[in-house]
Amino acid sequence: MKNRVVLFFLLFALMTCCGFQCERYDHLPAFTGKLAVAGICSNYTITLEEGALADSLYESIWIDPQTSLSYNRAFRLGNPCQFPSSIRAGETFKFVLEPNPSNNCATCQAYYPTPTKTINIKVVN
């Protein structure tokens, strides 16, 4: 009986170790973005600075109704829970498209205008 329990735990550990896989993003194309507007409650507007995304994914020109400033190739951040808090408005960063976004955080309900087009991204180094 004791051998069966030990064997069960060894098999369980082996299956867990072999079955676990970290998400890898190095096979996805990387883009350069800029946090153009860091609106209240994670209402973030990002501009595509480098890279080729389909035109349908972003707004070619978006005008912030609060400031009347215009932004080229702008989109709304779709998954603010995964966006690093260390990135400030005006800073650029590398990102990949995030096919499986996680929004397991609380965000407030205040609103700041953003583009209508939304993209889920993952910031990479």
Side-chain angles (χ1 to χ4, degrees):
M1 178 70 171
K2 184 177 179 183
N3 288 341
R4 286 185 184 174
V5 171
V6 171
L7 181 63
F8 171 78
F9 282 112
L10 286 173
L11 286 173
F12 179 77
L14 181 65
M15 288 180 359
T16 303
C17 290
C18 294
F20 178 75
Q21 206 174 43
C22 292
E23 286 187 85
R24 297 194 47 128
Y25 294 94
D26 57 355
H27 66 283
L28 299 173
F31 307 94
T32 301
K34 179 169 102 179
L35 180 55
V37 180
I40 189 170
C41 295
S42 302
N43 288 290
Y44 294 155
T45 296
I46 296 172
T47 56
L48 178 63
E49 299 295 310
E50 292 179 14
L53 281 173
D55 295 345
S56 61
L57 293 177
Y58 57 82
E59 295 185 30
S60 52
I61 298 175
W62 177 73
I63 299 172
D64 183 339
Q66 298 288 355
T67 63
S68 298
L69 295 174
S70 65
Y71 299 92
N72 296 324
R73 303 190 332 161
F75 61 91
R76 174 187 175 90
L77 176 63
N79 54 330
C81 297
Q82 290 181 277
F83 195 76
S85 59
S86 60
I87 297 176
R88 303 286 180 232
E91 293 181 350
T92 59
F93 54 90
K94 297 282 187 192
F95 71 92
V96 295
L97 299 182
E98 173 59 86
N100 301 310
S102 173
N103 278 325
N104 295 333
C105 67
T107 56
C108 62
Q109 297 298 312
Y111 174 76
Y112 188 90
T114 57
T116 57
K117 306 271 177 102
T118 302
I119 302 177
N120 297 313
I121 65 170
K122 169 76 175 167
V123 175
V124 295
N125 295 330

